[in-house]
Amino acid sequence: MEEKLKSQAVSPFSETKIGPLTLRNRFVKAATNEGMAKGGIVTKGLARFHERIAEGGAAMSTVAYCATSPDGRTFVDQAVLDDASLKDFRSLTDAVHKHGAAASAQITHAGSFTFLDKDSLKTNKPLSSSGGFNKVGVMSGRYFKKKMNREELSAMAGEFVAAAIRAKEAGFDAVELHMGHGYLLSQFVSPIYNKRHDNYGGSIERRMNFPSEVLKKVLDAVGKDLAVVVKYSMTDGPKGNDISDGIAVAKRLEADGAHMAVLSNGLNVESITAMFGSPLPQASGGGNAIVKIGSWIQSLTEPKDVVFRESYLRELAQQVRANVDMPLAYLGGVQSLDGVQNAMADGFDTIALGRALVFDPNFVNDLQSGAITQSGCTACNRCVTMMYTPGGTSCIETPYKPDPKLNQVGAAS
């Protein structure tokens, strides 16, 4: 039966339309923090990273973690979509367009999931859906967070809109609102973080109200010109939202008019194995003390027996697919032509690839030409911790290494 479905499936190398945007095929580079915006500057290294993805055949490359404001960063080495960054972001999008691909800007705000020091973060307490003790802040000395009031909610929605408008000015073809993994919008979606008793807390329908407001305002501002994509976590992992909540989120996004949803999973702190399908390597962090501490804490709480398997989120994603008609991107460990064909047979519109494209930016072209049918990525996750090194995110097992010198200057040539 599965072989019959594969033969009837849409070709992964065919065009598809996402809102106002036509993609040349069904492959999208998923947002994976690159670690190439040293000091917040969009570098030549970041531009070259995404240009190689475009050269390698992907239809769209997503620039990870474009913060809505300086306070919205998780670390200081993340870019902000502000006026000062537009010229360098334009160099990046021009480089991607040169190879016939589209560029997407992932727009997000950290909320309470921030490691900025007191000199870098303006507010004494980072903003979140709820106030009280900030467990993430233990690693950076920010022990309390602030429950956002109505004025702050409106201002934050305005930040997302302003960032989306700047993305358009910088030449991006799409924006991706990050509603997953424990960042600010996810802190409203997840009951692990959201303890409110007003119209923004309680049921999943009410927990989605603020993220929905942000989405609709961004659609109003740029949706006629840019594809507006949402990335979210189908479940929070062992606790919090389950797949019934994940389906409810997808239905809300569809009703709001999102052009596509990227189906991710898990949270950065509570369930990173649910996100990656395999644990982070122990004693990792590339010299970053916070990451080393975080990895150690996770090693105490995460499951010890998780073994990576291709398409590890397939069963969850199939349940979402069965409940909505909107375009969906399958994300989660596709590493072979068989995995690609299974996702197409399941009815997904695009396939979001992370580690496979870090391992080999030419993966899509090589699949299409028949040069390979299987990625050499082992899902060891050491690429995740390489983002904290001078060269940024890279695979230690392939020759596709970023040049650290390219991360010392702006992207503009």
Side-chain angles (χ1 to χ4, degrees):
M1 181 65 177
E2 189 169 275
E3 289 303 318
K4 183 178 179 181
L5 287 173
K6 287 183 184 180
S7 66
Q8 295 174 346
V10 173
S11 168
F13 304 105
S14 63
E15 288 187 352
T16 191
K17 196 169 179 63
I18 306 298
L21 176 63
T22 298
L23 298 179
R24 64 184 178 187
N25 60 46
R26 307 305 180 103
F27 296 93
V28 173
K29 168 64 177 67
T32 50
N33 266 307
E34 303 94 350
M36 297 176 187
K38 303 303 182 184
I41 297 173
V42 179
T43 62
K44 290 180 179 178
L46 184 63
R48 180 57 185 151
F49 179 89
H50 289 282
E51 182 179 9
R52 287 198 315 190
I53 300 297
E55 286 178 305
M60 182 163 70
S61 193
T62 309
V63 181
Y65 214 101
C66 302
T68 61
S69 67
D71 272 11
R73 296 170 295 166
T74 305
F75 295 101
V76 293
D77 292 338
Q78 288 172 331
V80 179
L81 262 170
D82 56 15
D83 291 337
S85 68
L86 291 186
K87 180 180 177 182
D88 287 345
F89 270 129
R90 170 64 76 168
S91 293
L92 185 156
T93 58
D94 285 347
V96 169
H97 293 154
K98 183 171 64 177
H99 301 283
S104 177
Q106 183 188 68
I107 300 177
T108 190
H109 190 288
S112 61
F113 186 72
T114 181
F115 303 105
L116 295 177
D117 60 32
K118 294 182 179 180
D119 293 329
S120 302
L121 186 65
K122 295 178 183 178
T123 182
N124 289 326
K125 297 179 182 179
L127 300 175
S128 189
S129 58
S130 302
F133 177 66
N134 180 24
K135 58 187 175 185
V136 177
V138 170
M139 291 184 279
S140 58
R142 294 189 172 278
Y143 302 107
F144 298 97
K145 54 188 176 179
K146 183 182 186 301
K147 174 183 175 181
M148 296 175 70
N149 59 34
R150 181 61 256 183
E151 182 180 354
E152 289 163 334
L153 292 172
S154 297
M156 184 61 66
E159 277 192 24
F160 275 88
V161 169
I165 292 172
R166 290 191 181 102
K168 176 184 172 182
E169 293 173 357
F172 283 100
D173 308 281
V175 291
E176 179 182 278
L177 304 182
H178 203 335
M179 292 186 188
H181 297 175
Y183 300 111
L184 179 63
L185 296 182
S186 176
Q187 289 161 28
F188 280 84
V189 179
S190 173
I192 292 175
Y193 288 89
N194 189 339
K195 308 299 182 183
R196 299 174 75 108
H197 299 287
D198 59 4
N199 197 42
Y200 298 100
S203 67
I204 183 59
E205 289 74 22
R206 295 212 306 252
R207 297 200 304 274
M208 275 296 295
N209 279 343
F210 178 60
S212 177
E213 285 181 24
V214 172
L215 170 60
K216 287 187 284 190
K217 288 183 178 181
V218 170
L219 280 165
D220 288 343
V222 301
K224 292 181 180 179
D225 302 305
L226 304 184
V228 178
V229 178
V230 173
K231 184 176 187 177
Y232 80 97
S233 297
M234 293 181 288
T235 79
D236 289 340
K239 299 179 180 179
N241 282 338
D242 60 22
I243 190 58
S244 66
D245 299 301
I247 292 169
V249 171
K251 289 181 176 179
R252 181 65 169 270
L253 298 178
E254 182 174 50
D256 289 342
H259 296 144
M260 184 170 72
V262 178
L263 304 179
S264 190
N265 206 50
L267 299 171
N268 282 317
V269 174
E270 293 81 4
S271 52
I272 202 162
T273 299
M275 187 189 309
F276 290 114
S278 53
L280 289 180
Q282 292 189 12
S284 59
N288 186 293
I290 289 176
V291 177
K292 287 183 177 180
I293 295 171
S295 296
W296 176 73
I297 292 173
Q298 287 169 350
S299 73
L300 300 178
T301 59
E302 288 277 352
K304 303 291 192 299
D305 57 350
V306 176
V307 178
F308 178 84
R309 62 182 176 91
E310 183 168 15
S311 303
Y312 57 90
L313 295 179
R314 186 181 182 190
E315 292 79 11
L316 291 174
Q318 285 173 325
Q319 295 181 63
V320 177
R321 176 72 288 173
N323 281 277
V324 295
D325 296 320
M326 70 180 297
L328 297 176
Y330 176 78
L331 170 64
V334 170
Q335 293 190 322
S336 69
L337 186 59
D338 277 347
V340 168
Q341 291 174 336
N342 286 338
M344 290 290 98
D346 287 342
F348 295 103
D349 301 86
T350 63
I351 300 162
L353 301 170
R355 287 166 287 186
L357 289 177
V358 174
F359 178 86
D360 181 5
N362 298 310
F363 182 57
V364 176
N365 280 344
D366 288 345
L367 283 181
Q368 186 169 20
S369 70
I372 63 171
T373 59
Q374 176 74 46
S375 170
C377 174
T378 62
C380 69
N381 293 331
R382 283 178 286 183
C383 59
V384 179
T385 57
M386 289 296 288
M387 65 177 277
Y388 303 103
T389 64
T393 298
S394 64
C395 177
I396 68 168
E397 297 179 351
T398 74
Y400 300 100
K401 308 297 184 188
D403 182 353
K405 294 180 181 178
L406 296 179
N407 293 333
Q408 297 175 0
V409 293
S413 57

